[in-house]
Every structure is written in structure tokens, then in C-alpha cells.
Amino acid sequence: MKKLLALALCLGLLLSLLPAFAAGITPIMQVVKCNEYVSLREKPDTKSNRIYKVHLGELVTNCSADENGFVRCEWNGRTGYILYEYLQMTDYKYSDGILVNQMVTGVNEWASLRKSPSTSSERLIKVPLYAIVTSCTGPVDGFVRCTYKGKTGYILAKYLKKADYNYKPTPTPTVKPTATPEPTPVPYYPPLPDQMTVVNVNEWASLRAKPNANSAQLKKVPLGAVVYGCVQVNDKYVECVYDGATGYIAKQYLEEYVPSVSYQGFESLGPDMPSLEAFESLGTEVLKYTFDGYTAVARRLYYGDKEELKVVCYDSTWTPRWSAGVESDHATELYSTEAFIMGSADRPLIVLFLTGYGFTAYPVGYWQDVEWENTTEAAQHVGGSLSTAVGKDGTAYLIGYYESAPLALSKEGVILWRAKNDSDFIYWPYEIELC
């Protein structure tokens, strides 16, 4: 009996020596009640050396009560001591997953802390890049459950990594703004007419590669020639286009081109021909074709015993820019005149035909004079009431009444061949179809 009594007294003495908080310790505990971190010390003494700063929300393991109000525990592979008042029991288990504080990473500015583990769930708060979230568990459906600023929710696991409390993002260098030089004011030049003509020279003016007198000469532009697309680029030079080349001509050699609405290129056509008003109101439209903002309209009209075919080329504002025409000195039941389009897609030509005279071609667009003429005997005798068709290569095929032998005309105005007609029969062809 005395032995049992002695054993009980010894056990009671030992229990009295254990810290009073021993019953509140679990193998895993969580850091609480601190602003940022608590010290893991070498010995259970507040003056002992600090091993680590264990941050708020972190978990320590293998916990057991020790003296002086300290708990012996492990963190980050080291064993040390933390005051019990900064720890609380937790029911975390290693099987719960992450079990450490995490840091937001892999985003531009912030990650969403959501109410449930879904990208369509309500956002509770934006967690900034490099911010620390605590009480992390998971993952669940690719999300980690965690707490930030008192709000508990879910963040995508791919935007989290184990908290690195020593991490300091490399500051973005401040780029000192470079002073933007004041732009050189661009002098204002009043708009020029689109078309201008060469003047004030003996024979020609130079179309130069650059707007200065020392630049290479691209072309010689004859006196009276017309250039287009005119824009003044400095005090002395105008940018313009001539014969397919873009360059610069001294402004002193140019003036506005004002075409007269008259017949150009036909000396035989006299001033007694119908006016533009008569042409537009009385003539019968034969052809209408638009290219690059210009529209060529061909009309046939009669006055007295004469038949006339006239073409007027209008600009985009329907201002007549030039006209040309042919006329027959007599009118019959046949058409002695005809107009048709041939050439190429990038340079269409309107061709006028006059029985007994031949063909004359003009570019559709600004006035460039006659493109070509063919007044050979074969071209003169094609017949009246001409029918035409144009192939893909630009070759025109033509046949007329009385002279009903087909003729092929190249887009350059050269007769390629003429069929022989030995028949005494007279046909009146009205259409050619190419197969």
C-alpha cells in the first residue's frame, strides 16, 4: 500500500511539472495572432537566436509542449521553439494537400478569389500578384481553397506557388521619357488642278526623280503635254505623272490644263458640228464605259445628210474633259460609224471606226492624245453596221455589212489577219460570239 501511494505521488508530481497548455497541442499547428510572422528560436527562450521567421497562417509540425510557454516544433526542415500563444490547434492532415501558405504568381496584375471552385463563380476579391494567401488546401477541380484579407474562397492552382517571403520582384526600370522634338511644320500649298500642261519652255521640261534641279531626269515632257495627279511638294516643284512615270516638274513650267470640249485629232471635222448640249440631249447612246474615275460616253446623231459618232470623256464630277469624233458625209440605212472598247484591263481604249477611214483609239481617262490609228486599206473597207467582239488577249474581231469578211485587230492597232470573201451573197451580221 505504501508503494502504491508513493507511485501516485510521483505521477502527480510529474503531471504538475508539465506545461498547463499541453492539452491544447496537436501534431500540426498554425501560426496565428501576429501581424506578419513569429520567431522559430533555437531554445525555448525569447532571447534565443531566431532560426526562421514563420509567417502568419503557416503550419508547423511534430508539435509538443516545452518549458517557458514554448512549443517545440518543426518548420522548413528545422526544429525550434515558438511561443504557444502564437499557435492554435488545427485539424489539418497531410492528406489535405498543400498545407502551406501560397503566393500569387503567373498573372499580370491579380488573380480572382472566387466563391466556389469554378471560373464562372462570383469573384470575392482580387488578390494582387505576389500577395500571400493563407490556410491553403486542395487542389479541388484545379482550385486551391485559401484565405486573403479575411475572405475565404478559391484560386486557380496554376496561379499559386509556395510562399517565398524573401521574394522581391525586380522593379521595372523607370524609362526617362525622351523629349519629343517639335515636328517641323509642313508648309501649306493650295491644291493644284489634277491636270496641268507644260508651258514656258522651248521644247520640253524635265520630269525628275526628286524635287530638285540636281536630281536625275526621268523623262522629257514636251511643250503643251498634259500631266496629271499634280501636287505641290515644295516651293519650286510639283509631283505629277506623265506617260506612266511619277516624278517632279518645276512649278514655273506648269499651268492649269483647261481642255476645250471639241474634236481633238481630226482636222477634217469642222466647227459646224453639233454642240455638247445637242450631243447629250439628241444623240443615241452607243457605248458607256467607266475606268479610274473617268467615264467615256459615245453617242451617234444625225444632222442634215450627215452621221456623226462623238465620244466625250467626263471626270468623276461629270465635267467633260475631252471629246473626239468621226462623221460620215452621208447617212444610209447602215451605220457608217461605230465605237467599242478594247485594250487591256489596266489601259482600256475606246476605239472609233469610220467606214472608208479606219480606226482611231483613245485611252479612257485624262487626255493623252491619240493612242494609235489604223487607216490602211484593209481597215477602211470593213463595211457598215460594224459588229465587234474582243478576246481575252485584247484582240478585236470585226465584221461589217457588204464587206462581210472578218478582220482581227490587235490591241496595238495592227491588223493581224483578214478573211477572204469570195461570196456574192450579202450578209448583215449583227453579233459576233467568241467560243
Side-chain angles (χ1 to χ4, degrees):
M1 184 69 182
K2 290 182 179 180
K3 290 182 179 180
L4 289 174
L5 181 59
L7 183 58
L9 290 172
C10 289
L11 183 58
L13 180 61
L14 288 172
L15 288 173
S16 66
L17 295 175
L18 289 174
F21 56 85
I25 294 178
T26 54
I28 299 175
M29 301 192 77
Q30 188 174 30
V31 174
V32 295
K33 299 180 182 178
C34 62
N35 292 328
E36 186 177 353
Y37 64 88
V38 295
S39 296
L40 180 72
R41 299 187 180 276
E42 289 182 347
K43 297 178 181 180
D45 187 335
T46 55
K47 297 180 180 179
S48 178
N49 291 333
R50 179 194 296 137
I51 300 173
Y52 282 125
K53 294 177 179 177
V54 185
H55 286 73
L56 177 67
E58 288 283 3
L59 302 178
V60 292
T61 60
N62 296 326
C63 301
S64 60
D66 210 287
E67 58 186 21
N68 300 330
F70 278 85
V71 173
R72 188 175 186 271
C73 55
E74 292 183 11
W75 190 75
N76 204 23
R78 291 288 301 273
T79 299
Y81 301 87
I82 295 176
L83 280 168
Y84 172 75
E85 62 185 282
Y86 295 119
L87 298 174
Q88 72 175 13
M89 294 188 297
T90 178
D91 58 358
Y92 281 126
K93 303 178 183 63
Y94 286 109
S95 60
D96 287 336
I98 295 173
L99 300 181
V100 291
N101 289 357
Q102 299 283 299
M103 182 170 70
V104 173
T105 185
V107 294
N108 291 329
E109 295 182 54
W110 45 264
S112 293
L113 182 72
R114 298 190 179 275
K115 191 173 183 178
S116 60
S118 169
T119 54
S120 60
S121 177
E122 175 189 351
R123 180 193 295 130
L124 301 177
I125 193 171
K126 293 178 180 179
V127 184
L129 178 64
Y130 307 125
I132 304 295
V133 294
T134 63
S135 304
C136 301
T137 59
V140 177
D141 296 331
F143 282 80
V144 170
R145 187 174 187 273
C146 55
T147 299
Y148 180 74
K149 289 192 174 179
K151 295 183 181 292
T152 299
Y154 297 84
I155 293 180
L156 279 168
K158 65 181 180 180
Y159 297 141
L160 296 174
K161 72 174 185 178
K162 185 176 179 179
D164 181 355
Y165 298 99
N166 296 317
Y167 178 79
K168 294 189 182 340
T170 304
T172 303
T174 302
V175 179
K176 188 175 181 181
T178 304
T180 303
E182 288 293 327
T184 303
V186 178
Y188 171 77
Y189 299 107
L192 296 176
D194 180 72
Q195 296 179 329
M196 302 187 79
T197 186
V198 174
V199 295
N200 302 328
V201 294
N202 292 328
E203 296 182 52
W204 47 262
S206 292
L207 182 73
R208 299 190 179 277
K210 295 181 180 180
N212 62 70
N214 298 322
S215 181
Q217 183 187 71
L218 301 178
K219 288 182 180 290
K220 294 179 179 180
V221 186
L223 174 66
V226 177
V227 297
Y228 70 100
C230 301
V231 177
Q232 187 168 352
V233 296
N234 60 30
D235 291 339
K236 294 183 178 180
Y237 278 82
V238 172
E239 182 183 54
C240 55
V241 179
Y242 175 73
D243 194 22
T246 300
Y248 303 87
I249 295 178
K251 186 182 178 184
Q252 62 180 319
Y253 301 135
L254 295 173
E255 68 176 24
E256 181 177 4
Y257 170 63
V258 183
S260 58
V261 181
S262 61
Y263 299 94
Q264 312 224 26
F266 286 88
E267 296 179 359
S268 62
L269 302 182
D272 60 334
M273 300 191 73
S275 65
L276 176 64
E277 289 75 15
F279 163 82
E280 292 180 332
S281 61
L282 302 178
T284 301
E285 187 174 294
V286 175
L287 180 147
K288 185 176 183 179
Y289 185 83
T290 299
F291 172 74
D292 198 23
Y294 291 86
T295 301
V297 180
R299 287 177 176 265
R300 183 184 290 116
L301 64 161
Y302 297 89
Y303 60 102
D305 294 330
K306 296 182 179 182
E307 175 188 324
E308 180 196 7
L309 182 70
K310 181 174 181 179
V311 59
V312 176
C313 191
Y314 300 87
D315 63 19
S316 59
T317 65
W318 283 96
T319 301
R321 306 304 296 180
W322 59 267
S323 68
V326 291
E327 71 167 0
S328 174
D329 59 4
H330 63 280
T332 70
E333 74 278 10
L334 301 179
Y335 294 134
S336 298
T337 59
E338 192 57 73
F340 57 93
I341 294 293
M342 62 181 297
S344 59
D346 60 346
R347 191 172 176 80
L349 304 174
I350 185 166
V351 182
L352 303 185
F353 169 73
L354 175 63
T355 300
Y357 180 81
F359 303 94
T360 309
Y362 302 87
V364 178
Y366 61 94
W367 175 250
Q368 294 186 49
D369 211 338
V370 174
E371 180 80 2
W372 52 257
E373 284 186 279
N374 189 314
T375 57
T376 62
E377 183 178 354
Q380 293 171 10
H381 300 291
V382 183
S385 293
L386 197 65
S387 296
T388 64
V390 181
K392 291 182 179 179
D393 62 353
T395 300
Y397 301 88
L398 312 111
I399 188 169
Y401 185 49
Y402 290 133
E403 295 288 339
S404 55
L407 176 146
L409 182 67
S410 76
K411 64 183 180 181
E412 291 80 20
V414 177
I415 294 179
L416 302 177
W417 53 262
R418 171 76 183 271
K420 186 176 181 181
N421 182 18
D422 294 327
S423 174
D424 293 331
F425 293 99
I426 296 175
Y427 299 96
W428 195 321
Y430 61 89
E431 183 178 1
I432 300 177
E433 182 176 348
L434 299 179
C435 299

